[in-house]
Amino acid sequence: MIRFENVTKVLGRRAVLDDISFEVGEGETFVIVGLSGAGKSVTLKHMIRLMLPDSGSVIIEGEEINHLGRRALQEVRSKFGVLFQSAALLQWMSVCDNVALPLREHTKMPEAEIISQVNEKLELLGLGDAGDKYPSDISGGMQKRAGLARAIIMNPKIVLYDEPTSGLDPVTSRRIDDLIVNMREQLGITSVVVTHDLHSALAIGSRIMMLHEGRIVENATPEGFIKSKNETVQSFLASQYITKKGKWEELIHE
Amino acid sequence: MSYPVRSAERVGGQVLQLFHNTGHAMFMLLEATWFIQFSFGKRSRHETVTQLYITGIKSLAVISVVAMFTGMILALQTGLELRRWGQEEFIGSAVAVTMIREMGPFMTGLIIAASVGSAIAAQLGTMTVSEEIAALEVMSINPNRFLVMPRLVALTLMMPILAVYTNILGILGGAIVGTTQLGVSLTSYMNNATEFATNKDLYVGLFKAFIFGIIITTVSCHQGFMTSEGAVGVGKATRRSVIISFLVILVVGYMITRMFYL
Ligand SMILES: Nc1ncnc2c1ncn2[C@@H]1O[C@H](COP(=O)(O)OP(=O)(O)OP(=O)(O)O)[C@@H](O)[C@H]1O
Ligand SMILES: [Mg+2]
């Protein structure tokens, strides 16, 4: 579905992506983890050609996208819904108008139908009563969820999530996790999730890839990821208390 | 590498960059111009009207004050000079012609560049660094249609109107000084003002204002889109948009005057 072939991207003298190759299969929930600055967001941006690689190719459903013309690029982008790290809502529009924007721009749907679809998505994300508020008046977590509602309003085939749960409380985070899983199970949507939260990565991911200093240090199933011998992976796991002998273990299973 | 070669290389690089940026800005302008046909269509109507309002109404207070005082200063300076020759009654034409040909469009341009233009650069700059522009692109919403075109329509429509307003207030300001300070009667001031100002002066002035509107939109939108480096970058983009607009307005204003009056 999504394939990177030897992608290299230099930003400000540093190879942020250094000869990266991987593939995301249809219906997968592909999780990308890594430290801050590892190039996770940059990787997502290459999938929708917000950035062009210096060398290598990005292939979406068998189509190399780096040389596409305008129309064809639109076609490819319409397969995607994207939740940006900063939510990227338009500040001068209400939450409802933000979510409705793609429908208003690209469909001839009557207004009543638009509103009902928007409300349905807002309900789904627990934003039922925030529709009339402006992005600056709601919390960061709510902005994220509004951004997510906008990302999925056109029922895309592939959804890219850039840190969907950062800044969210644990309960809401799990709800977003459930949503990602549901979209995969019920609608067969392919997801690429960037996250720092390994617990959620292990819970929802069908594959987990770790980026470090521009390279892929691990790309495996959750099981394989936990068992990885790679030191960077091990210390990343340990940093989130995913160790053989967890210190909570005895307490919980008394 | 020796110093001259290195610095020549750097200058060369900057010149190339300048051409590249100018090309980019021109493409943006052309595309936005093409989209003007949709300015009052269903998708853009709201934004166009909002921008018309922001441009037309929000700066009115500043423009009024500046226009008045420009006219007053013009009247006072030329009036004092003319009085030495006993020709005070000519301040009407001096103020009217200077306002309509030059000062009206020029002052309006500077004020709009500093208020509306800088606000555009700051807003689009903020949108760029917070990934909102990227989000629009992914949703296949062309920022040149969605953001630039309504601003272009608003500024090119409003600039000539505001310039006329500036002219009227300037001439009024001149009249106040003329009647109260220089002892010219209002009727002779007005007669003189209308006698010497030609239609050509008005058209050239309006044409200038229209062109200044295009310049301000292009510069401020382009600077906004080129913003990088977070909040600091937004500040830089705003400052640059005002400076570049001022410079281009000055140069182009001179060229238009030269074209029509030399
Ligand atoms: N447009 C850009 N211009 C220059 N450098 C950039 C640009 N975008 C990203 N970078 C650099 O690329 C590196 C990777 O950035 P990226 O945003 O992908 O990190 P990330 O893995 O998403 O980190 P985080 O978890 O903090 O979001 C960083 O060092 C960043 O400074
Ligand atoms: Mg990131």
Side-chain angles (χ1 to χ4, degrees):
Chain A
M1 195 111 194
I2 303 172
R3 198 159 82 236
F4 275 49
E5 283 178 359
N6 309 98
V7 171
T8 297
K9 179 72 178 177
V10 179
L11 283 166
R13 311 213 158 177
R14 198 166 66 89
V16 175
L17 301 182
D18 187 1
D19 198 20
I20 295 237
S21 305
F22 65 91
E23 180 158 11
V24 180
E26 185 157 3
E28 269 199 90
T29 301
F30 190 85
V31 182
I32 304 176
V33 298
L35 305 180
S36 243
K40 306 183 293 295
S41 298
V42 169
T43 306
L44 286 192
K45 283 177 184 159
H46 277 82
M47 295 179 183
I48 36 184
R49 211 172 90 176
L50 286 175
M51 283 187 175
L52 277 170
D54 294 324
S55 66
S57 36
V58 179
I59 296 151
I60 307 295
E61 290 197 310
E63 197 172 15
E64 139 81 87
I65 62 168
N66 297 335
H67 303 290
L68 289 183
R70 198 173 183 132
R71 284 251 152 249
L73 179 63
Q74 275 194 15
E75 197 69 31
V76 168
R77 280 177 173 168
S78 71
K79 295 173 186 166
F80 285 88
V82 183
L83 168 62
F84 284 86
Q85 191 164 354
S86 56
L89 299 170
L90 303 180
Q91 298 297 315
W92 71 89
M93 286 186 183
S94 69
V95 167
C96 180
D97 287 341
N98 262 292
V99 178
L101 187 63
L103 291 175
R104 292 198 176 128
E105 287 283 328
H106 295 305
T107 69
K108 292 199 161 39
M109 209 178 269
E111 190 60 23
E113 172 77 18
I114 291 180
I115 297 295
S116 93
Q117 289 220 6
V118 168
N119 283 335
E120 183 191 317
K121 291 290 190 288
L122 289 179
E123 283 305 331
L124 181 71
L125 289 155
L127 286 171
D129 47 5
D132 293 334
K133 299 211 172 88
Y134 282 81
S136 52
D137 299 333
I138 59 178
S139 71
M142 290 164 86
Q143 289 182 24
K144 271 276 166 66
R145 283 181 280 153
L148 184 50
R150 185 180 65 184
I152 60 178
I153 191 84
M154 298 290 278
N155 304 317
K157 271 182 168 174
I158 311 169
V159 183
L160 309 182
Y161 305 81
D162 200 342
E163 304 193 10
T165 56
S166 70
L168 262 61
D169 63 88
V171 177
T172 315
S173 297
R174 292 296 88 83
R175 251 175 79 188
I176 302 282
D177 286 351
D178 290 344
L179 182 91
I180 297 173
V181 172
N182 279 345
M183 294 221 298
R184 173 193 179 189
E185 286 175 352
Q186 291 168 12
L187 305 169
I189 287 175
T190 309
S191 306
V192 180
V193 186
V194 165
T195 184
H196 288 293
D197 182 352
L198 263 180
H199 291 272
S200 106
L202 292 166
I204 64 172
S206 56
R207 290 190 81 76
I208 303 177
M209 174 171 94
M210 179 159 178
L211 288 175
H212 189 68
E213 292 178 346
R215 294 185 163 273
I216 298 173
V217 291
E218 188 57 88
N219 179 357
T221 59
E223 213 174 314
F225 193 82
I226 284 200
K227 289 181 182 155
S228 170
K229 296 269 184 294
N230 186 292
E231 270 177 39
T232 321
V233 175
Q234 282 305 326
S235 72
F236 197 59
L237 285 165
S239 72
Q240 302 200 13
Y241 306 112
I242 304 173
T243 50
K244 249 198 194 123
K245 193 82 183 131
K247 79 181 205 200
W248 313 111
E249 205 168 31
E250 299 165 35
L251 290 172
I252 290 171
H253 297 296
E254 279 283 288
Chain B
M1 232 184 302
S2 68
Y3 178 73
V5 174
R6 247 185 307 145
S7 55
E9 209 170 64
R10 215 179 54 225
V11 170
Q14 280 168 352
V15 170
L16 278 184
Q17 189 65 39
L18 181 70
F19 276 117
H20 178 84
N21 289 345
T22 313
H24 213 262
M26 284 303 139
F27 176 77
M28 181 193 82
L29 173 62
L30 282 181
E31 211 179 33
T33 308
W34 190 79
F35 282 125
I36 285 179
Q37 52 183 312
F38 306 118
S39 52
F40 288 94
K42 186 165 153 281
R43 295 181 301 178
S44 290
R45 192 187 309 140
H46 184 255
E47 182 68 2
T48 308
V49 172
T50 310
Q51 291 305 323
L52 278 167
Y53 171 77
I54 292 177
T55 317
I57 311 294
K58 287 268 174 98
S59 313
L60 221 47
V62 193
I63 288 186
S64 308
V65 176
V66 172
M68 274 291 222
F69 275 94
T70 308
M72 286 163 71
I73 292 167
L74 276 175
L76 201 56
Q77 285 290 7
T78 49
L80 291 175
E81 206 56 28
L82 287 167
R83 186 147 74 176
R84 294 209 303 195
W85 316 97
Q87 307 271 318
E88 295 97 307
E89 72 267 27
F90 283 102
I91 61 167
S93 61
V95 171
V97 171
T98 321
M99 281 307 293
I100 293 172
R101 275 191 192 176
E102 292 294 341
M103 293 312 269
F106 182 65
M107 284 295 172
T108 318
L110 293 197
I111 294 166
I112 293 295
S115 57
V116 180
S118 66
I120 291 176
Q123 192 196 1
L124 300 198
T126 309
M127 290 184 70
T128 305
V129 297
S130 61
E131 300 178 314
E132 288 166 50
I133 303 292
L136 288 176
E137 272 172 19
V138 175
M139 293 187 280
S140 292
I141 298 173
N142 188 330
N144 291 343
R145 196 208 89 236
F146 192 72
L147 298 166
V148 180
M149 181 272 284
R151 286 161 177 77
L152 183 65
V153 170
L155 275 153
T156 48
L157 270 181
M158 278 301 169
M159 272 294 295
I161 296 176
L162 289 171
V164 169
Y165 176 78
T166 307
N167 292 340
I168 293 172
L169 280 197
I171 293 169
L172 266 178
I176 293 172
V177 170
T179 49
T180 59
Q181 316 280 306
L182 299 164
V184 181
S185 78
L186 188 61
T187 31
S188 80
Y189 177 91
M190 280 306 172
N191 283 342
N192 191 265
T194 45
E195 192 177 335
F196 284 89
T198 62
N199 278 345
K200 181 184 171 190
D201 293 336
L202 183 65
Y203 296 148
V204 173
L206 292 186
F207 177 65
K208 265 188 198 166
F210 172 79
I211 297 290
F212 292 169
I214 296 177
I215 292 171
I216 296 167
T217 321
T218 310
V219 171
S220 47
C221 288
H222 183 247
Q223 287 300 322
F225 287 145
M226 298 229 307
T227 307
S228 55
E229 309 162 44
V232 182
V234 175
K236 278 188 198 161
T238 311
R239 196 193 49 181
R240 263 206 305 263
S241 87
V242 175
I243 294 175
I244 298 175
S245 297
F246 274 26
L247 289 178
V248 179
I249 283 176
L250 271 169
V251 173
V252 172
Y254 171 80
M255 292 197 310
I256 295 176
T257 305
R258 211 193 119 109
M259 197 163 82
F260 284 97
Y261 291 103
L262 200 72

